[in-house]
Amino acid sequence: MRRCDFCELPLDGGCACALRTDRRRGEATPVSEIHIHSSGKAHLPGCQHQYPSGVSAPKWGWVLDADPSVWRRISEGSPLRATHGNTDRVATSRCKDYDV
């Protein structure tokens, strides 16, 4: 059973940290920056669907130093509005490449 590097609870049951798990590499790291595409999907730095040089307004908005629990809450019922870049961008879904 894999455990969280931060709270030491099982990743699949009990971990309350907002960790992103790269399904391709099996690595877990804390979420702190969230990028919001014009489609309404949230991505994390390093996502294969984006390139760092391509994350710029007006197509993208982003949140820096996001609260650790924000990533898991992003949904239609709990949207995330960008605080930088294009602040009209709102995420209502998460990229599944980095989802616990």
Side-chain angles (χ1 to χ4, degrees), residues 81-99:
R81 179 170 294 278
T83 57
H84 295 80
N86 185 340
T87 57
D88 290 333
R89 297 288 175 236
V90 177
T92 56
S93 63
R94 300 181 305 261
C95 174
K96 298 303 179 193
D97 279 352
Y98 288 102
D99 215 355

Side-chain angles (χ1 to χ4, degrees), residues 31-88:
V31 171
S32 62
E33 184 174 328
I34 300 173
H35 300 161
I36 304 171
H37 188 262
S38 58
S39 67
K41 188 171 293 282
H43 295 270
L44 297 170
C47 175
Q48 67 179 353
H49 298 110
Q50 65 181 9
Y51 301 97
S53 62
V55 178
S56 61
K59 189 172 187 176
W60 292 87
W62 52 91
V63 176
L64 302 175
D65 299 320
D67 179 271
S69 63
V70 167
W71 176 255
R72 287 190 178 163
R73 289 195 318 254
I74 296 171
S75 66
E76 290 284 338
S78 184
L80 175 66
R81 179 170 294 278
T83 57
H84 295 80
N86 185 340
T87 57
D88 290 333

